[in-house]
Amino acid sequence: MSKKSLALLFFLGLAILAVGLVLPNWMSYLLTIAMGKGLVVLGLVLLMRAGLVSFGQGLYYCVGAYVAGMLTQFAEVTDVLLILLASIGVSVAIAAIIGLLLCRYREIFFAMFSMAFSMILYGLLVRNQVLGSTDGFNVANPSLLGWAPGPEAASDLVLAVAVFLVFSLGILAWRYLKSLSGYAGEAVRENEIRLEYLGGSVFKIVYVKYIIAAGLAAIGGTVTALVSGHVDPEMAYWTTSGEFVFIALMGGTAHVAAPIIAAVLFEALRTYAFAVAPYTWQMILGFALLAIILFMPSGLWSLVERFQTKKARKTT
């Protein structure tokens, strides 16, 4: 990525942060939630480019959120940097163990096994009275390097952290996908046997991607917990993981920006659908996904690719 592109992304991040700070509180809240979920979907996209669809990213999303909640409520640790490091560390440790089993499976078996582990966590949390059972518990306001803002400023702090994470991790993910390890994922999807024949370790490639996806999901869960001020077992329920798959299909897997844009559009669409049809809003989401699959099977990012193709034809 050129210096010019990095500078453009830097100013774009500042512009999004400035817009988020002047938006009404409910809109900046939705924007922060969308960016948190976008990071989870970014990890899911890394797996999908290797031909794997996980219905269990809610596991690490929930782990990241609960680590944030437990640190603020039970250990009185509110520094957002320490919370993020702890959330990533716990999630990566869990993924390193579960991945030893999961990364040996493919297709529907991988999807179902990943969902099973997520539902196990859901069952454990529902029965845990100390962690609030089905109601969950509240998360204290975060601080940064000794600065403890009030409730409204705390939301702005999480928004700023989310913008920084989206752009920095998005750049890292883009560079990863352009590296040999990134391209190896597509080789896994196309022909595992040929990749093994050429000397590549399919298990190692998938294992690394699974751990990266777990870390991104934990960051997304931490952002969601800190901005919403509450965590509950629904974050590990299979419908939450299905929501991440929905957003991934909506955006497509062609670019790292696609899951972030799709997450923002998904939150806007869900809010609008709930406002106009509070009892049948899921039906509106279903029709939206059906339309995308029928007319844009590669996701919304295919619109950008079509525009770029037309522009290239005009210049030649």
Side-chain angles (χ1 to χ4, degrees):
M1 186 174 288
S2 65
K3 290 183 179 179
K4 183 180 178 181
S5 299
L6 289 174
L8 285 174
L9 287 174
F10 176 75
F11 286 111
L12 179 60
L14 288 180
I16 293 175
L17 177 59
V19 170
L21 292 176
V22 298
L23 287 173
N25 289 337
W26 68 272
M27 291 185 73
S28 62
Y29 170 80
L30 289 180
L31 179 62
T32 310
I33 291 286
M35 287 190 285
K37 290 183 177 179
L39 288 172
V40 183
V41 180
L42 178 59
L44 180 59
V45 165
L46 295 182
L47 290 171
M48 292 175 74
R49 287 173 73 106
L52 299 168
V53 179
S54 170
F55 277 90
Q57 290 310 99
L59 167 65
Y60 304 108
Y61 179 68
C62 184
V63 168
Y66 266 75
V67 169
M70 292 167 70
L71 284 176
T72 59
Q73 286 292 355
F74 305 131
E76 297 184 354
V77 175
T78 58
D79 191 283
V80 66
L81 299 179
L82 293 177
I83 292 172
L84 281 169
L85 288 175
S87 298
I88 295 170
V90 173
S91 295
V92 166
I94 295 173
I97 298 171
I98 295 177
L100 293 173
L101 172 67
L102 263 182
C103 295
R104 300 181 186 279
Y105 293 90
R106 300 290 183 270
E107 299 176 349
I108 189 66
F109 303 102
F110 180 86
M112 291 296 103
F113 275 134
S114 61
M115 187 175 71
F117 282 108
S118 182
M119 291 306 294
I120 289 172
L121 176 63
Y122 172 79
L124 292 173
L125 292 175
V126 164
R127 293 182 177 277
N128 193 314
Q129 299 294 331
V130 176
L131 297 179
S133 187
T134 55
D135 294 330
F137 62 95
N138 292 330
V139 180
N141 290 330
S143 62
L144 179 64
L145 302 175
W147 174 52
E152 290 190 6
S155 298
D156 295 338
L157 171 62
V158 180
L159 172 65
V161 171
V163 171
F164 172 77
L165 289 171
V166 163
F167 278 86
S168 58
L169 294 175
I171 292 171
L172 289 176
W174 186 85
R175 289 188 171 177
Y176 172 73
L177 290 175
K178 296 298 179 184
S179 69
L180 183 61
S181 300
Y183 285 120
E186 297 179 35
V188 171
R189 182 188 62 202
E190 297 299 328
N191 195 324
E192 289 189 24
I193 297 175
R194 182 171 294 179
L195 182 61
E196 290 277 6
Y197 179 76
L198 292 173
S201 172
V202 172
F203 175 81
K204 184 179 178 182
I205 294 167
V206 174
Y207 187 65
V208 170
K209 289 182 181 296
Y210 184 74
I211 290 177
I212 294 174
L216 288 171
I219 294 172
T222 302
V223 169
T224 303
L226 292 179
V227 73
S228 64
H230 186 80
V231 295
D232 61 62
E234 291 291 325
M235 301 178 84
Y237 200 58
W238 70 270
T239 52
T240 303
S241 298
E243 187 177 290
F244 297 141
V245 176
F246 183 109
I247 297 172
L249 294 174
M250 189 175 175
T253 61
H255 198 277
V256 295
I260 308 298
I261 296 171
V264 174
L265 292 176
F266 173 80
E267 285 299 323
L269 176 63
R270 184 167 67 173
T271 304
Y272 173 76
F274 189 79
V276 298
Y279 300 106
T280 56
W281 60 273
Q282 296 95 336
M283 185 177 66
I284 297 176
L285 290 180
F287 278 123
L289 180 61
L290 187 61
I292 290 171
I293 292 174
L294 288 176
F295 299 107
M296 289 178 286
S298 298
L300 294 172
W301 192 258
S302 61
L303 295 175
V304 179
E305 293 178 327
R306 290 178 195 173
F307 174 77
Q308 290 175 336
T309 304
K310 287 183 179 178
K311 188 177 178 181
R313 287 176 180 170
K314 286 182 180 178
T315 53
T316 56

